[in-house]
Amino acid sequence: MLHESGRHFLQLPGPTNVPDRVLRAMDRPLIDHRGPRFRDMLRGLLEELGGVFGADRHVFVFASSASGCWEAGLVNTLSPGDRVLAFVNGFFGARWASVAGRLGLEPEVVEGDWRRPVDADAIAGRLAADARGDIRAVLVVHNETSTGVTSDVGRVRAAIDACDHEALLMVDAVSSLGVTPVRHDEWGADVTISGSQKGLMLPPGIGLCAVSSRALEAYERAGLARAYWDWGDMLRSNEEGVFPSTPATALLFGLVESLAMLREEGLERVFWRHGRFAEATRRAVSAWGLDNYCADPTAYSNAGTTVLLPDGVDGEAFRRETRARFHVSLGGGLGPLVGRVFRVGHLGDFNAPMLLGTLAAIEMGLRTVGAEVAPGGMEAAMDYLIATSG
Ligand code: PLP
């Protein structure tokens, strides 16, 4: 293995680069997680988290990866055998539906086109046919990190309302929180799930769920077994400024810092910045003569771009060479897309020179594995960055 000088670029669509400020905030002695300093920290943290989710009620914080909160959302609101309507337009939507099945729910999958956003009309069609109201929840992924497709959650809400259906709306905002607007209350979402390692710029290890009052009412009736994920235990403890079990204290130090960074920059500016780097990436991809996997320009993701590789190019070999020779880690295809695409993350703590370094490494990697790429990708990205600087 060659010695690597400088920083390795972690350009996966999560985990993302952890800013130095956050690293420093975590690099300090732990405090008593049942003491007064911790209580003060937790109170401030919970208040500030609501702002990022656009949520007025409690945001649950678990020591877990984001998938833990898929489970938390389901076990706290539903009962064995309940039907859930899961729209699947990518790898993560499929995983969430399978988690529901393994927990003893009855997932009814609406298979979507993986290159397109959630089809709210298809959801409306299924709900309209459910005259008895057997479907208890609708699951949608806001930003499908596997495909680089962002969906319009507001349209899903409107579809549920148009059918006058009682189903809870559960939204996976794992790779959209802190990247593109997440509006839990405005969407009328009942559970919105996220994790620490994407737009929040932290290491993996914290799972989050924002909830609605309907979700908290559903908690009272829900019959699935729950222990670690029990919202009731968490709520009671959080009200006293503690957690039911040992929290991820160092990650919480980091979260305080990353929320301060988002506040200082301003969320609108954060969203704009993500849009800018995403667009510069797309311009490079199209100048290279490659296709964005997302086939709907209104649904392009500001978190990550999934790029279709030319026929005959092995995506895994391309990623291996790019990582080893040019020190940039890119995401690979997931599920049926293994080897056919690569995924470039442009979310989190990121700037123009990091983007250009990433794009240059991609072009070098593609050329190394013999992929035919047109020249001009870097120029296209630079032109856009210049035009939108300042
Ligand atoms: N949902 C989406 C959209 C994701 O991108 C991911 C992970 O990348 C997950 C869920 C699962 O998150 P975790 O790996 O933190 O459990």
Side-chain angles (χ1 to χ4, degrees):
M1 182 111 157
L2 282 178
H3 172 73
E4 261 190 61
S5 55
R7 276 217 176 174
H8 186 94
F9 278 32
L10 188 65
Q11 293 317 136
L12 315 169
T16 61
N17 295 288
V18 180
D20 291 348
R21 259 178 79 171
V22 171
L23 290 173
R24 281 197 292 271
M26 292 188 301
D27 183 15
R28 60 191 161 107
L30 294 185
I31 56 175
D32 175 2
H33 62 280
R34 302 202 179 275
R37 279 177 64 202
F38 188 90
R39 271 187 208 113
D40 289 348
M41 175 176 85
L42 182 60
R43 290 220 169 90
L45 195 71
L46 290 174
E47 247 180 65
E48 192 139 359
L49 270 176
V52 182
F53 276 94
D56 226 14
R57 274 158 230 90
H58 199 71
V59 177
F60 291 95
V61 180
F62 286 98
S64 75
S65 84
S67 329
C69 283
W70 278 343
E71 187 157 340
L74 297 169
V75 298
N76 280 292
T77 55
L78 300 169
S79 298
D82 277 356
R83 271 168 68 195
V84 296
L85 192 67
F87 193 95
V88 173
N89 62 333
F91 179 82
F92 291 105
R95 280 267 286 263
W96 197 5
S98 113
V99 167
R102 280 186 275 168
L103 289 171
L105 297 164
E106 297 261 333
E108 183 177 327
V109 170
V110 186
E111 292 288 353
D113 180 340
W114 280 33
R115 301 190 66 176
R116 297 190 175 276
V118 171
D119 178 356
D121 294 338
I123 293 180
R126 293 288 186 101
L127 293 178
D130 178 38
R132 291 198 330 212
D134 288 339
I135 295 171
R136 299 293 175 173
V138 173
L139 317 185
V140 291
V141 177
H142 184 207
N143 182 71
E144 243 308 341
T145 328
S146 59
T147 55
V149 175
T150 304
S151 293
D152 184 342
V153 179
R155 291 196 56 207
V156 176
R157 176 79 258 166
I160 299 173
D161 292 347
C163 302
D164 214 4
H165 202 284
E166 292 287 303
L168 297 171
L169 172 58
M170 300 199 188
V171 181
D172 172 322
V174 174
S175 54
S176 52
L177 190 77
V179 172
T180 207
V182 168
R183 312 227 189 269
H184 173 83
D185 286 350
E186 203 179 301
W187 285 338
D190 294 295
V191 181
T192 301
I193 287 149
S194 199
S196 52
Q197 76 274 24
K198 312 260 183 189
L200 292 179
M201 307 173 287
L202 292 165
I206 290 182
L208 303 153
C209 22
V211 296
S212 68
S213 15
R214 283 187 71 223
L216 292 173
E217 281 158 31
Y219 166 86
E220 301 296 338
R221 301 184 298 269
L224 278 175
R226 58 192 181 216
Y228 181 72
W229 305 113
D230 195 304
W231 285 346
D233 295 347
M234 185 63 97
L235 206 50
R236 278 187 293 278
S237 298
N238 284 177
E239 273 159 10
E240 288 163 19
V242 293
F243 279 89
S245 52
T246 314
T249 308
L251 286 172
L252 297 178
F253 290 157
L255 184 55
V256 170
E257 196 65 23
S258 74
L259 291 173
M261 289 176 71
L262 294 176
R263 177 173 13 94
E264 285 163 22
E265 185 174 355
L267 277 181
E268 289 310 315
R269 177 86 190 174
V270 168
F271 301 149
W272 174 82
R273 166 167 60 80
H274 279 87
R276 177 174 179 240
F277 294 140
E279 178 60 24
T281 305
R282 293 191 285 265
R283 288 185 184 213
V285 168
S286 113
W288 285 326
L290 300 179
D291 287 327
N292 193 325
Y293 184 75
C294 175
D296 179 346
T298 67
Y300 285 154
S301 168
N302 286 344
T305 300
T306 299
V307 182
L308 264 170
L309 284 158
D311 284 344
V313 176
D314 173 1
E316 293 311 288
F318 157 69
R319 286 200 312 128
R320 197 167 52 242
E321 295 305 323
T322 308
R323 186 168 52 226
R325 294 177 191 236
F326 308 116
H327 310 306
V328 173
S329 288
L330 300 163
L334 295 171
L337 298 181
V338 172
R340 292 178 48 208
V341 299
F342 68 91
R343 297 177 303 136
V344 52
H346 31 70
L347 74 166
D349 190 46
F350 198 47
N351 62 20
M354 292 163 87
L355 172 61
L356 292 172
T358 303
L359 295 175
I362 292 172
E363 187 170 327
M364 290 189 288
L366 287 168
R367 281 157 55 176
T368 302
V369 295
E372 273 194 30
V373 280
M378 298 297 297
E379 282 74 10
M382 285 193 287
D383 287 347
Y384 184 74
L385 291 173
I386 294 166
T388 53
S389 61

